[in-house]
């Protein structure tokens, strides 16, 4: 019997330096087409699934938040922390001036999640 764990990673990517609002009034609720989560989308932001990878992109202008849900098992041992770390490293290769503004733990869709907030 294989035990699988699901983790949810929220990864915020900002391509310009800006203040992240502490509280935003949600205009709409986005539901993942696969039924895995829903997220409140602030007024002026748009949410849509990425057409190339299993990710939802929430965007407003140059600011972007990527939400990924990854099912883990014995054959796919990457942790949420490893996923976020490798994504930050990948962005750092694309943007040498990348600075990580914030990183932490959250609960997303009832699951433990982590996030990173880099700026470029």
């Amino acid at each position: 019997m294989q035990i699988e764990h699901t983790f949810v990673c929220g990864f915020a990517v900002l391509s310009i330096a800006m203040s992240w609002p502490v509280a935003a009034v949600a205009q709409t609720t986005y539901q993942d087409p696969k039924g895995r989560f829903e997220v409140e989308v602030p007024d002026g932001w748009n949410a849509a699934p990425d057409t190339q990878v299993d990710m939802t992109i929430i965007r407003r202008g140059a600011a972007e938040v990527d939400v990924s849900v990854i099912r883990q098992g014995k054959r796919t041992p990457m942790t949420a922390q490893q996923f976020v770390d490798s994504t930050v490293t990948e962005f750092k290769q694309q943007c040498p001036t990348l600075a990580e503004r914030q990183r932490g733990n959250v609960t997303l869709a009832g699951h433990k999640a982590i996030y990173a907030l880099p700026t470029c």
Side-chain angles (χ1 to χ4, degrees):
M1 178 174 137
Q2 180 177 354
I3 298 174
E4 293 190 342
H5 303 280
T6 301
F7 64 83
V8 182
C9 293
F11 190 82
V13 179
L14 298 177
S15 59
I16 58 172
M18 61 181 284
S19 299
W20 195 260
V22 174
V25 177
Q27 182 69 22
T28 60
T29 299
Y30 172 82
Q31 294 184 315
D32 174 54
K34 296 180 181 179
R36 299 171 295 184
F37 65 92
E38 63 181 42
V39 63
E40 298 297 320
V41 178
D43 188 29
W45 290 70
N46 296 307
D50 189 293
T51 58
Q52 297 178 2
V53 295
D54 187 13
M55 177 185 308
T56 297
I57 299 174
I58 304 170
R59 180 177 286 145
R60 179 178 179 186
E64 178 179 303
V65 176
D66 300 333
V67 180
S68 298
V69 178
I70 302 168
R71 181 172 284 290
Q72 296 295 301
K74 289 183 180 180
R75 292 175 284 182
T76 55
M78 181 182 280
T79 66
Q81 187 68 55
Q82 290 168 328
F83 175 80
V84 170
D85 290 346
S86 67
T87 304
V88 169
T89 299
E90 181 180 320
F91 282 123
K92 196 173 276 190
Q93 292 171 356
Q94 297 172 20
C95 175
T97 61
L98 183 136
E100 194 168 316
R101 295 175 53 117
Q102 194 173 353
R103 180 182 284 253
N105 298 308
V106 295
T107 299
L108 186 61
H111 297 277
K112 292 180 182 177
I114 63 171
Y115 70 94
L117 181 61
T119 59
C120 179

